[in-house]
Amino acid sequence: MKALAALAGAAFTAAACYGLGSVIAAQLGARLRRAEKFPLAFVLGAAVLHLAIFAVLTVKMAYKPVLWLLLGACMAIALHTGDWRLPRAAEPSQETRLPRVIRYLFGGIAAAFTVLYFFNAWAPEISPDGASYHLGLVARYLRARGFERITTDMLAAFSGGVDMLYVPAFAIGRHSAAALLHFTFLMALALAVLAYGKRIGKPLAGAAAALLVYLSPVVGIDGTTAYTDVAAAAIVFSVFYWTQLWDENRKRRILIAIGLLAGYCYAAKYTAFVMVVYAAGFVVWRTRKWQPAAMVAGCSLIMIAPWAIKDWVYLQNPVAPFANQWFPNRYLYVLVEKLWAADLRTYRLVNLWMLPLEVTIRGQATQGTIGVIFLAAPLALLALRSREGRKILVPCALLLATYFGNIGTRFLISSLPFLSLALALVLDTAAPAVLVAAIILHAAASWPPVLESYSDAWNWSLHDLPYKAALRIVPEEEFLGRHMEYQWARMVEKYVPPGKPVFTLTGLADSYTTREVLISYWGGLNNDIGDALAMGWNKTWQPATLWVFSLPQQKYRRLRVTQTGTATLREEQWNIHEIRFFECGSELPRRPGWRLQASPDPWGVQRAFDNSEATRWRSWEKLRPGMWISVDFGQEESVDQLTVELSGDEWDARMRLETTDARGRWIPLAAPVEKRKAQNSELLRRAATYEAHLQGVDYFLIKDHDFGAKDYAEYPESWGWTRLEHNYGASLYRVDP
Amino acid sequence: MTLGLGLLSLCGVLSVFLCGCGDLPEPYAPPAQQPVFEAPAESVRVLKMADPGAATHFVQDISQSLEANTWRWTGKRPTVRVFPGSNRKLRYFIDFEIAPATFEQTGPVTVSFIVNDHLLDRIRYTKPGRQLFEKQVPAEWTDPNAYVILAAEIDKLWLPLRRDAPPLGVILMALGLERK
């Protein structure tokens, strides 16, 4: 039953996309050929349907009947208008017909991989991102009947244009339905490339390029799980395709489709935003007029605006989780974003010159391979000699330019259709036999057992044909139970009461638990809790130095500590556990009338005044001169000493004191400083637990290899925790009442 | 028409971006002051032999069988592990009895009281009967974030006539740390 539901969920959603796209394409006056009708209509319909589902989630109406109604309406309109039907096939000309041997050969290869892909997509979903955040968020939205303001998971801030389509699919057929829907995008992409080859009179190049994409190992695994990269590639290629259709007949209404799809690129994946630039630029270039490009941009905005507005309303940052320096907010820290982005640019590869080998053969560091055949990708540059080749290489270059922001192999998928077409055009012109041989080689090298024989052991790829799991002959629970991510999710579901979040340092399969999972680095609050916990066991992060400033004995209205040092390490911050003021050896009690400010991270300033050594105000930006924390006492106060307690991971911080003059301007204060060793409380662990508890977190899932895991396991009493279960390489703890 | 649409789009994008700026908070008042944590009462504790789960703290030379629901036989060096969560004002505490029956064979015994391999004290007992011993533990002998190993070493054991029976030390009622 689950297997059938999965098929139904994917089929109905795909059919709705196709139906809606068919109607819109007809309304726009697009005359699509038989071969291109399904892929282009399907993706165009997906773009518009995603917006409708976004609206449903916004008004919190994501009930099953509503979603059924929406899908049903899309199909019914297409059936009613007759737009559902495929156009009649034109008599194939000699130019567009492939030799029979090639058709059988390519058809056989495609069929074998389609069987492999289909059963993998149909099997229970347990992919890292699919089973965690893509479907985790979809499941959460469905439980809440709509969007929720999520400030503790920066992955929820990404535009989710494809994830929106997973909402009805998941509601009907759960996890596998979403994966099967993504597989539909994969087929649409391959069919679009095939159709494009036919359209430009290069059927062999089109068929070969389609297979180059379709058989690519990373495309295979991505397109059969609930990821979104392959769908994004299909949307990207559709934008290109529609621009070429428009260029043939210059119908203004086609620009609407181009604009909507270009905007949908952004909605599907931020990095695909370049297709808006491409589409608008192409239209300007071909018409030498701005108005058509403005129309494209305007239509794009229809797709982009909802996502930007959602992030702006929820997180005060329309392009969250990026650009937090330009859109400062309390939910996502600047330094975390920068360190994360820096990691994405290297994936810890020591030498980026290894990247070609990594993404084609090895696949462990960058998580997947596009196929050994793409070592020949530089040959694609020879396509620049032909007009068709230049058309293809422009969007390819734009997309590749964004790739270096995230060098994960799957981030090449969007540019792969263009690269494949260009390569195929070159070989088709020069030596068609070589092209056919290349496809055979690509198929052989991408087939799982062969791929496993030469790629890295941890290359992200398909491994087998799980038909028993797909048909649920092997029960879903048994299949999923072999995966620790799933077992952790079930552990959380078993012990954590409804409504209670669980904190973890690394992820799990969120979509298999109904509890909120806070991952330590995905949000400001999570970072604060993680920081407090780490302080419990990591002596370097604990209070280490006390800067004691002796002030000229007088009354002060305002005092400011200004940082003047420069970091030598990229992750070094300014960290202050506590700032205290004294008069004649007695600490000034912190009165409610005081006003505290800081720059940067003004939201966290209270942590330097909360009397807890397990918390610290952090700049969350790289240490640089000009950072400050100020106190306005609200009245004149006698102060003769000020202490600043810094962490041990503070090497370059230098500070000076300032006060305001009669005109309210900040002026330096001559205050000699003495550095002393800070006295730590014995019970930082307990204080850290208290801090987490204050934020509503009473459950912790700690994996055996997590930082600090040994400490949590050895001293649960000291943390004030009880271990509820240790299994599958992880422990679940509860804060003692 | 299209130009207007384009301009409208541009204004929309700009307004979104500009509205993102300058949304900084008002200054904050000092927050509620966090409590100063002390070791939980149950951490600094004297381990009674009848306590549920007491055996999980045993390190060596304490019988697994509880007698009369209150005491256990020891071997030469009964040792327990406790987690005080503090190293301030800790006192070693032991409650034990030298059984008259064993005393008859051993005569006076000397017991050494040990904390983390440091000798806290050594006392010679010349009569059988119930004994209480407690003494302040120097703070530097213990780490507040680690387990403390407490032991009492008995110099002479009662040797049974049967070879397969274990030698016996004292009757142990309680051993642990107090905070005073």
Side-chain angles (χ1 to χ4, degrees):
Chain A
M1 198 60 200
K2 280 181 178 176
L4 288 178
L7 282 178
F12 280 113
T13 311
C17 292
Y18 170 73
L20 186 59
S22 301
V23 172
I24 296 168
Q27 292 299 310
L28 297 177
R31 297 185 62 183
L32 302 177
R33 294 180 187 175
R34 186 179 177 84
E36 61 201 16
K37 171 83 185 280
F38 169 72
L40 294 189
F42 168 72
V43 177
L44 180 61
V48 179
L49 183 60
H50 120 267
L51 215 54
I53 296 167
F54 185 100
V56 167
L57 292 181
T58 305
V59 297
K60 298 250 179 192
M61 290 285 288
Y63 294 92
K64 254 192 187 177
V66 174
L67 296 169
W68 271 112
L69 199 65
L70 188 61
L71 300 185
C74 294
M75 288 184 275
I77 295 168
L79 288 169
H80 177 70
T81 58
D83 296 324
W84 180 277
R85 282 191 297 273
L86 289 174
R88 253 184 305 180
E91 194 58 38
S93 66
Q94 207 58 35
E95 278 182 350
T96 60
R97 176 179 283 181
L98 281 172
R100 181 175 293 179
V101 178
I102 301 294
R103 265 187 287 157
Y104 286 149
L105 176 66
F106 283 11
I109 292 171
F113 275 81
T114 300
V115 170
L116 172 73
Y117 290 171
F118 176 69
F119 280 107
N120 270 285
W122 200 7
E125 164 70 6
I126 191 66
S127 65
D129 287 6
S132 60
Y133 84 91
H134 284 300
L135 296 184
L137 288 170
V138 165
R140 183 167 174 179
Y141 296 151
L142 279 169
R143 283 195 299 274
R145 310 293 179 207
F147 286 124
E148 283 189 314
R149 186 175 188 212
I150 301 172
T151 58
T152 51
D153 182 357
M154 69 183 192
L155 299 176
F158 280 117
S159 51
V162 178
D163 305 62
M164 288 297 96
L165 302 173
Y166 293 162
V167 169
F170 187 94
I172 299 166
R174 306 286 295 171
H175 300 68
S176 299
L180 282 164
L181 184 62
H182 198 207
F183 176 51
T184 314
F185 272 101
L186 171 54
M187 288 196 292
L189 173 62
L191 290 173
V193 175
L194 179 69
Y196 186 75
K198 283 185 183 170
R199 178 169 272 273
I200 62 172
K202 300 282 185 186
L204 178 60
L211 285 178
L212 283 174
V213 176
Y214 193 63
L215 311 185
S216 168
V218 75
V219 170
I221 188 159
D222 190 292
T224 54
T225 53
Y227 276 58
T228 59
D229 307 272
V230 170
I235 303 159
V236 162
F237 194 74
S238 292
V239 174
F240 168 76
Y241 208 129
W242 281 95
T243 57
Q244 303 313 309
L245 294 180
W246 167 81
D247 200 29
E248 279 180 16
N249 57 34
R250 301 292 176 95
K251 278 187 186 168
R252 281 173 64 86
R253 281 185 290 173
I254 301 287
L255 293 174
I256 295 173
I258 296 172
L260 291 177
L261 284 165
Y264 189 42
C265 283
Y266 172 92
K269 210 164 191 63
Y270 277 173
T271 48
F273 173 76
V274 289
M275 291 311 287
V276 179
V277 179
Y278 167 77
F282 184 82
V283 170
V284 168
W285 175 56
R286 298 299 285 162
T287 60
R288 312 283 170 191
K289 289 178 185 166
W290 287 104
Q291 290 90 332
M295 191 167 169
V296 169
C299 291
S300 297
L301 201 62
I302 293 171
M303 292 285 165
I304 295 170
W307 293 102
I309 292 168
K310 173 177 163 280
D311 279 351
W312 173 39
V313 170
Y314 285 171
L315 303 165
Q316 281 104 56
N317 177 356
V319 288
F322 299 109
N324 294 299
Q325 194 148 25
W326 296 342
F327 302 99
N329 62 82
R330 71 186 319 168
Y331 310 110
L332 304 163
Y333 292 138
V334 175
L335 190 67
V336 175
E337 177 207 329
K338 288 193 172 175
L339 294 175
W340 175 54
D343 278 349
L344 296 180
R345 287 195 292 272
T346 63
Y347 275 59
R348 297 180 187 171
L349 272 182
V350 180
N351 182 356
L352 283 187
W353 289 106
M354 297 306 292
L355 202 51
L357 279 182
E358 181 61 41
V359 301
T360 54
I361 297 175
R362 293 177 178 165
Q364 181 167 324
T366 54
Q367 299 159 14
T369 54
I370 52 175
V372 67
I373 199 73
F374 285 97
L375 280 173
L379 287 179
L381 287 172
L382 294 175
L384 286 169
R385 292 183 303 181
S386 71
R387 187 167 178 272
E388 282 304 335
R390 287 192 292 275
K391 272 188 192 174
I392 291 162
L393 286 174
V394 169
C396 185
L398 275 173
L399 291 159
L400 280 176
T402 66
Y403 168 67
F404 290 94
N406 185 338
I407 62 166
T409 308
R410 63 193 173 90
F411 285 80
L412 283 170
I413 293 175
S414 288
S415 53
L416 219 49
F418 302 102
L419 198 61
S420 301
L421 265 172
L423 192 59
L425 281 174
V426 170
L427 291 178
D428 186 22
T429 309
V434 174
L435 180 57
V436 174
I439 295 303
I440 296 170
L441 172 71
H442 186 44
S446 302
W447 193 248
V450 181
L451 180 67
E452 284 167 24
S453 70
Y454 66 87
S455 67
D456 286 337
W458 293 100
N459 176 26
W460 188 52
S461 62
L462 296 176
H463 295 289
D464 50 18
L465 187 75
Y467 68 95
K468 284 186 180 172
L471 295 165
R472 272 53 177 186
I473 296 168
V474 173
E476 200 165 286
E477 187 74 20
E478 185 185 325
F479 179 83
L480 292 169
R482 297 172 199 152
H483 300 266
M484 289 200 291
E485 297 84 351
Y486 175 78
Q487 295 290 2
W488 297 332
R490 300 316 296 165
M491 205 193 293
V492 165
E493 192 73 8
K494 181 178 169 188
Y495 289 105
V496 179
K500 280 282 191 185
V502 60
F503 182 89
T504 179
L505 298 167
T506 46
L508 51 106
D510 301 30
S511 62
Y512 290 104
T513 173
T514 56
R515 313 299 187 252
E516 186 181 2
V517 179
L518 303 181
I519 299 178
S520 65
Y521 45 89
W522 279 158
L525 178 75
N526 319 21
N527 278 293
D528 294 338
I529 295 171
D531 196 50
L533 291 184
M535 246 176 282
W537 60 266
N538 186 344
K539 288 193 185 309
T540 315
W541 290 15
Q542 293 170 0
T545 320
L546 195 67
W547 286 49
V548 182
F549 291 92
S550 299
L551 283 69
Q553 195 156 23
Q554 63 180 70
K555 294 200 165 186
Y556 299 93
R557 167 71 192 250
R558 298 180 190 87
L559 284 170
R560 182 162 88 171
V561 184
T562 299
Q563 204 288 125
T564 58
T566 303
T568 47
L569 296 176
R570 66 175 187 168
E571 64 270 26
E572 189 180 348
Q573 304 183 48
W574 193 23
N575 306 310
I576 296 179
H577 289 272
E578 288 294 312
I579 295 181
R580 299 179 190 276
F581 303 91
F582 297 87
E583 188 200 7
C584 302
S586 300
E587 185 181 352
L588 265 60
R590 292 158 171 170
R591 291 188 299 100
W594 290 13
R595 287 293 171 262
L596 319 172
Q597 278 187 293
S599 173
D601 191 30
W603 298 276
V605 67
Q606 289 179 311
R607 284 195 287 275
F609 296 88
D610 62 357
N611 199 41
S612 170
E613 288 167 343
T615 65
R616 50 181 180 172
W617 171 85
R618 310 193 76 183
S619 56
W620 292 112
E621 286 187 29
K622 189 177 169 183
L623 186 82
R624 57 175 163 74
M627 297 172 162
W628 52 265
I629 287 193
S630 72
V631 178
D632 182 339
F633 296 119
Q635 62 186 42
E636 299 277 312
E637 291 276 10
S638 287
V639 180
D640 58 16
Q641 195 181 67
L642 182 155
T643 62
V644 183
E645 198 173 36
L646 299 181
S647 316
D649 53 344
E650 198 91 61
W651 301 278
D652 299 301
R654 306 285 180 273
M655 289 171 278
R656 71 158 185 259
L657 283 193
E658 294 171 330
T659 186
T660 48
D661 64 13
R663 292 164 63 184
R665 291 177 307 189
W666 289 103
I667 53 169
L669 199 56
V673 65
E674 179 193 345
K675 289 184 208 170
R676 296 179 194 161
K677 191 172 182 300
Q679 294 293 316
N680 281 352
S681 150
E682 294 172 347
L683 290 163
L684 270 175
R685 293 189 184 106
R686 191 58 73 114
T689 297
Y690 183 74
E691 193 58 31
H693 173 74
L694 281 184
Q695 305 297 342
V697 176
D698 289 327
Y699 292 85
F700 303 90
L701 182 76
I702 307 290
K703 285 124 192 202
D704 293 349
H705 59 263
D706 282 339
F707 290 122
K710 191 165 171 277
D711 198 88
Y712 303 124
E714 279 190 12
Y715 305 113
E717 304 101 322
S718 180
W719 288 96
W721 297 0
T722 296
R723 183 149 81 175
L724 301 172
E725 185 176 338
H726 177 258
N727 224 335
Y728 309 105
S731 297
L732 183 67
Y733 296 95
R734 183 190 60 211
V735 172
D736 296 328
Chain B
M1 163 70 182
T2 50
L3 185 63
L5 194 61
L7 285 173
L8 195 66
S9 313
L10 192 65
C11 292
V13 171
L14 282 177
S15 61
V16 166
F17 274 69
L18 291 174
C19 287
C21 304
D23 188 22
L24 296 177
E26 290 295 306
Y28 290 95
Q33 299 297 286
Q34 308 295 51
V36 174
F37 285 90
E38 294 198 340
E42 69 273 19
S43 294
V44 184
R45 70 172 195 182
V46 171
L47 196 66
K48 291 182 183 159
M49 292 300 106
D51 284 350
T56 61
H57 295 259
F58 298 169
V59 177
Q60 66 179 53
D61 289 350
I62 300 176
S63 169
Q64 289 297 318
S65 62
L66 181 66
E67 310 291 343
N69 222 19
T70 43
W71 58 270
R72 295 170 193 263
W73 280 110
T74 76
K76 183 168 179 61
R77 185 172 167 136
T79 308
V80 299
R81 185 178 78 153
V82 294
F83 189 89
S86 170
N87 63 351
R88 294 180 192 159
K89 300 179 184 172
L90 296 178
R91 289 178 75 80
Y92 179 106
F93 177 91
I94 186 168
D95 177 2
F96 67 101
E97 182 177 333
I98 300 170
T102 62
F103 189 83
E104 276 181 21
Q105 186 192 91
T106 61
V109 293
T110 302
V111 182
S112 304
F113 304 101
I114 298 160
V115 178
N116 281 346
D117 288 333
H118 297 280
L119 180 64
L120 184 67
D121 209 340
R122 181 176 285 143
I123 296 178
R124 178 177 162 81
Y125 295 93
T126 54
K127 285 188 287 186
R130 188 88 175 250
Q131 308 291 344
L132 287 179
F133 169 82
E134 55 183 299
K135 189 172 179 179
Q136 198 76 33
V137 176
E140 59 273 20
W141 287 9
T142 60
D143 178 345
N145 292 315
Y147 286 102
V148 177
I149 307 294
L150 305 170
E153 189 170 300
I154 302 138
D155 67 339
K156 282 182 280 184
L157 297 181
W158 177 84
L159 301 172
L161 294 175
R162 277 174 47 208
R163 285 199 170 178
D164 58 338
L168 299 177
V170 297
I171 291 170
L172 184 63
M173 259 74 77
L175 172 59
L177 291 169
E178 287 179 318
R179 176 173 270 189
K180 280 187 181 170

